[in-house]
Amino acid sequence: GAGTDEHALIEILVTRSNEEIQAMNAAYRNAYKKSLEEAIHSDTSGHFCRILVSLVQGAREEGPADEERACADAQELADACNAESDDMEMKFMSILCTRSFPHLRRVFQEFVKCTNKDIEQIIKKEMSGDVKNAFYGIVRSVKNQPSYFSDRLYKAMKGLGTDDRALIRIMVSRSEVDLFNIRKEFKETHDVPLHEFIQVETMIGDTSGDYRKTLLILCGGED
């Protein structure tokens, strides 16, 4: 409907496994009587739509890095940086949305050798809007997924107003998965324990009472 939560779409689709995405597709069709892919087509457009559709198919390769292919992929990405923005985005999509995470980690290392630049820098500098956010999400997730979630939690709470949907979604969905690692990354990056940050930031907003207590219990220790 009116207004798409692009950040939620990106966050969920770039961090879930093929198996989780396929289960999600089945649950979505069951609940809303149409496919998630159809919903994405009707509410998004352009390269951003293509990226999401590629991710929602849940067909990312699995398995370890292929050294030879990683070098070729890195060179293709490096060459694409000199192309028109449309061609560059299509080439980035063809590699970032399809290769396995271990393989992409190797590609990113080779990319630095080819260009003397980190792929994150290139995405930030050369791309914009939802396309930039989607590719950036994939790269961050490949490099260090708990760090990516830590960043999303920080943005959901920092300053006036709390993005409650993002906060609940991440705290609940990562509980007993990798929340301990997210807490560790949060403290290292932001120099404050997640538990303390939830207490302080949610006091400013309207996140009080039982809701706040529940978040703190989900969070667990005070690090």
Side-chain angles (χ1 to χ4, degrees):
T4 308
D5 186 344
E6 290 87 0
H7 284 298
L9 284 169
I10 292 166
E11 177 207 300
I12 293 167
L13 292 177
V14 304
T15 58
R16 302 311 196 254
S17 67
N18 287 340
E19 197 179 343
E20 286 170 322
I21 287 172
Q22 282 153 11
M24 215 186 309
N25 280 329
Y28 192 94
R29 184 179 280 284
N30 192 40
Y32 303 107
K33 309 306 173 215
K34 66 175 176 180
S35 75
L36 184 47
E37 190 173 324
E38 286 168 334
I40 286 168
H41 267 299
S42 68
D43 276 80
T44 62
S45 60
H47 285 315
F48 182 55
C49 175
R50 290 188 194 98
I51 293 165
L52 294 180
V53 166
S54 178
L55 294 172
V56 87
Q57 285 165 354
R60 185 181 287 283
E61 293 168 5
E62 291 172 345
D66 176 330
E67 294 293 326
E68 201 174 312
R69 192 169 170 225
C71 294
D73 283 345
Q75 191 58 58
E76 278 200 51
L77 290 173
D79 293 344
C81 293
N82 302 315
E84 294 290 319
S85 65
D86 265 15
D87 295 338
M88 180 184 178
E89 288 171 3
M90 287 300 284
K91 180 49 69 183
F92 268 59
M93 185 171 74
S94 72
I95 292 171
L96 296 186
C97 295
T98 61
R99 309 293 197 257
S100 74
F101 274 24
H103 182 82
L104 285 175
R105 273 191 279 278
R106 192 80 194 101
V107 171
F108 298 160
Q109 289 166 357
E110 292 299 324
F111 183 85
V112 174
K113 291 181 193 172
C114 295
T115 63
N116 285 323
K117 288 176 185 161
D118 188 281
I119 198 157
E120 273 182 53
Q121 290 174 293
I122 299 287
I123 289 167
K124 278 181 174 175
K125 186 177 172 219
E126 302 293 336
M127 298 179 187
S128 61
D130 295 326
V131 170
K132 177 182 86 172
N133 292 336
F135 285 143
Y136 184 70
I138 293 170
V139 170
R140 288 293 309 277
S141 204
V142 165
K143 285 181 173 182
N144 184 340
Q145 197 165 95
S147 171
Y148 172 67
F149 280 122
S150 150
D151 190 41
R152 295 283 302 125
L153 281 170
Y154 183 80
K155 285 177 179 157
M157 287 183 278
K158 187 65 186 159
L160 286 172
T162 305
D163 183 347
D164 293 309
R165 291 173 70 169
L167 183 53
I168 293 166
R169 181 176 63 247
I170 297 168
M171 294 299 290
V172 173
S173 69
R174 305 322 291 178
S175 175
E176 297 186 25
V177 179
D178 54 1
L179 194 52
F180 181 79
N181 293 334
I182 293 167
R183 274 170 35 194
K184 185 166 164 282
E185 290 292 337
F186 195 95
K187 189 173 182 191
E188 280 179 19
T189 309
H190 302 293
D191 214 26
V192 58
L194 178 58
H195 193 277
E196 188 183 316
F197 196 76
I198 290 170
Q199 274 184 311
V200 173
E201 288 297 323
T202 55
M203 217 179 278
I204 297 165
D206 53 3
T207 317
S208 56
D210 291 337
Y211 174 36
R212 188 150 140 261
K213 282 180 203 161
T214 306
L215 289 171
L216 292 169
I217 291 165
L218 275 172
C219 181
E222 298 188 28
D223 301 318

